[in-house]
Amino acid sequence: MGDAKNHTAHPPPSALPAEPLGPLPPMSPELRLQFSGALEDDFGRYYHHAMLLRMRWALGVAMGLFLLFALLDAISLPEQVRNPVLGLRLGLMLPVLTVAWLSTYPARLHPYMQWIGGAAALICGLGVVGIIWFARIHAYPLPYEGILLVTFYFYFLTGLRFVPAAVCGWVTFLVYLGMELQSGLPAIALLYNAFFLGTANIIGSVGCFFLEHAMRQNFLSRIQLQELAERDFLTGLLNRRAFSARAGNIWRQALREHHALGVAMMDVDYFKRYNDHYGHAAGDETLRKVAHVIGSHAR
């Protein structure tokens, strides 16, 4: 009776049941921000995990900056402008940022951080528009550059993906334009402001798009490297390294849930004789077919 271990060209397939390696999307310069099927969900979890700390720090920095701006407003703004501006900064925007920052800690909220962070960013952007609106009402020359600051904050600091970041940036931009039209800003000033803010949003949108695209390429690279490290090259079944990594988790789960656990060992009868008679190429093909049968009947 022969054994697959005697086939010297390749190591034996892992005893851990696994499906054959499925095809992954090719790493190409195609500019898409969407995977198919479950891979998109896997990328979402990967992205949230990778960006969680960045979002936490970005929200913390934003809270500190809003406090500094509030101090500057309290010192420099006239009273009729200062009170509503501080009300927006300290009564709306700072609490929203604080809630979003605190939301980065409970694990149950992590899957929703793109929504939470995006909502907080949009509220702050609209709050800055409101601050400029109050200044316009009282004919106070408050600079509009605060919109530029929050625009680049949306795209490059928050850890938001392309779509929510672009929504925050462009909605804030359009609301600002509507506000300035209502405030009666001179046409030339409005044109220049719209040009600079629109350009900032274009730059931010393109930059954020390519950042997410690069993250997706990195995600595919990690999956492919993991597959290469954990799969037998010939059969596509999990190798001993993957077995060792998974066996410990399965064993601990069985102990925790008081489930029975079994191990099945398989042997290919007369494989050495077959391999010696028909050659290594035929032996390889036989192992592939055996692996396919195992993989197609395993979960």
Side-chain angles (χ1 to χ4, degrees):
M1 180 183 295
D3 192 324
K5 291 186 291 186
N6 294 324
H7 183 249
T8 57
H10 300 281
S14 170
L16 184 67
E19 296 181 0
L21 178 61
L24 291 174
M27 293 185 61
S28 70
E30 184 180 1
L31 298 181
R32 293 182 58 193
L33 296 183
Q34 182 70 36
F35 294 130
S36 59
L39 193 61
E40 181 66 23
D41 296 332
D42 291 339
F43 171 74
R45 287 187 289 270
Y46 165 79
Y47 190 94
H48 297 158
H49 177 76
M51 289 295 171
L52 179 64
L53 186 61
R54 174 175 170 176
M55 183 175 288
R56 183 180 298 159
W57 274 97
L59 291 168
V61 169
M63 291 162 58
L65 290 175
F66 268 99
L67 286 173
L68 289 176
F69 275 110
L71 178 61
L72 180 63
D73 293 337
I75 295 173
S76 62
L77 294 181
E79 183 177 355
Q80 67 272 22
V81 179
R82 180 173 63 242
N83 292 337
V85 167
L86 289 179
L88 274 176
R89 287 200 193 277
L90 302 180
L92 174 64
M93 299 156 75
L94 186 61
V96 166
L97 288 172
T98 303
V99 169
W101 177 73
L102 292 174
S103 299
T104 63
Y105 287 95
R108 66 181 183 276
L109 295 179
H110 290 173
Y112 309 103
M113 283 312 302
Q114 287 291 306
W115 292 96
I116 296 172
L122 181 58
I123 290 172
C124 289
L126 297 179
V128 172
V129 175
I131 288 172
I132 298 174
W133 169 251
F134 281 121
R136 296 286 189 267
I137 291 176
H138 295 91
Y140 185 81
L142 193 68
Y144 80 100
E145 283 81 356
I147 302 292
L148 283 173
L149 295 179
V150 296
T151 296
F152 285 109
Y153 175 80
F154 294 153
Y155 289 112
F156 300 118
L157 291 181
T158 57
L160 293 176
R161 292 168 65 173
F162 168 72
V163 171
V167 168
C168 290
W170 287 102
V171 168
T172 301
F173 169 68
L174 293 175
V175 172
Y176 168 77
L177 288 185
M179 181 274 295
E180 292 290 30
L181 286 171
Q182 290 292 323
S183 70
L185 188 71
I188 294 298
L190 179 60
L191 178 62
Y192 271 93
N193 289 2
F195 178 79
F196 280 109
L197 288 175
T199 302
N201 271 284
I202 292 173
I203 293 172
S205 297
V206 173
C208 191
F209 181 94
F210 280 105
L211 283 175
E212 182 174 338
H213 185 265
M215 285 285 291
R216 289 175 177 272
Q217 297 294 88
N218 182 62
F219 170 69
L220 287 181
S221 297
R222 290 171 65 95
I223 290 180
Q224 290 169 345
L225 288 174
Q226 182 177 355
E227 291 288 348
L228 289 173
E230 295 186 347
R231 298 272 178 179
D232 176 68
F233 176 76
L234 174 64
T235 63
L237 294 178
L238 294 173
N239 57 24
R240 181 172 179 176
R241 179 179 184 272
F243 173 82
S244 299
R246 287 163 171 76
N249 294 333
I250 295 173
W251 174 257
R252 287 187 291 272
Q253 181 181 0
L255 291 177
R256 185 171 59 252
E257 299 178 359
H258 305 288
H259 287 169
L261 187 65
V263 178
M265 299 185 67
M266 299 183 185
D267 180 66
V268 181
D269 291 343
Y270 307 111
F271 179 77
K272 184 179 186 304
R273 186 183 305 176
Y274 181 92
N275 192 62
D276 291 342
H277 181 77
Y278 292 102
H280 289 295
D284 287 351
E285 183 61 25
T286 299
L287 288 181
R288 291 191 192 97
K289 291 181 178 179
V290 171
H292 176 74
V293 172
I294 295 173
S296 62
H297 290 81
R299 290 189 296 112

